[in-house]
């Protein structure tokens, strides 16, 4: 009697896992594309600020929309998203959120613009009104002077903290969209990478809370 060799059976991936991965991939694609479109709107809203801000917003939009297209194409091709590219996109998105928080809770970026014409700001001559100067990143108008420390929140030691400026509706919606992108990208990572990413995000959140509590973030 001859024995028939049986071909090894590859381990099956649970169907629920594939469906969850597909859902998170589409969430990441849609939110990344939406954030890209919002950055195009932000670029149009900052035309008078100068080329630095407009170029930054447009390059960010290009990267986000390009990543969204890649997610869609790879989904149609039946390929799983590469963990390296997903990690890079995750770090970049978190960096954008951190930049937004710094710009709107501190005056670190505003230090590049000053009312005396120095510091890297952009002057704009507009007929019928005085020359104004803008923060090259946030677009805040400094024609009336820099925010003073007395206008900011009070830190734990009793000293006034640096003042930021109020976020716009467009910026708030963009950040909310990017937070969803961060959640989706974290879910797309393999198990061990996902745990490390989640721990890193929790650590960043704790650091942001400490900075806010001590008054360094207003």
């Amino acid at each position: 009697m001859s024995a028939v060799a049986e071909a090894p059976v590859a381990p099956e991936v649970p169907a629920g896992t594939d469906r969850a991965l597909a859902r998170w991939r589409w969430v990441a694609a849609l939110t990344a594309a939406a954030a890209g479109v919002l950055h195009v709107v932000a670029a149009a809203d900052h035309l008078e600020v100068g080329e630095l801000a407009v170029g930054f917003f447009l390059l960010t939009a290009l990267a986000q929309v390009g990543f969204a297209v890649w997610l869609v194409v790879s989904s149609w091709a039946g390929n799983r998203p590469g963990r390296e590219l997903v990690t890079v996109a995750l770090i970049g998105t978190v960096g954008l959120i951190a930049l937004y928080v710094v710009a709107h809770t501190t005056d670190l970026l505003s230090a590049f613009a000053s009312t005396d014409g120095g510091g890297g700001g952009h002057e704009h001559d507009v007929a019928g009104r005085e020359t104004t100067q803008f923060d090259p990143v946030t677009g805040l108008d400094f024609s009336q002077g820099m925010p003073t420390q007395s206008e900011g929140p009070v830190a734990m030691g009793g000293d006034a903290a640096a003042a930021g400026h109020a976020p716009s509706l467009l910026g708030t919606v963009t950040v909310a969209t990017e937070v969803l992108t961060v959640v989706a990208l974290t879910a797309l990572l393999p198990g061990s990478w996902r745990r490390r990413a989640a721990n890193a995000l929790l650590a960043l959140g704790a650091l942001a809370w400490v900075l806010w509590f001590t008054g360094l973030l207003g």
Side-chain angles (χ1 to χ4, degrees), residues 12-19:
E12 296 184 358
V13 178
T17 302
D18 282 342
R19 287 194 296 269

Side-chain angles (χ1 to χ4, degrees), residues 90 186 189-202:
L90 176 61
T186 304
L189 291 173
S192 59
W193 288 48
R194 188 185 311 124
R195 287 189 293 272
R196 294 171 186 169
N199 290 335
L201 291 173
L202 288 175

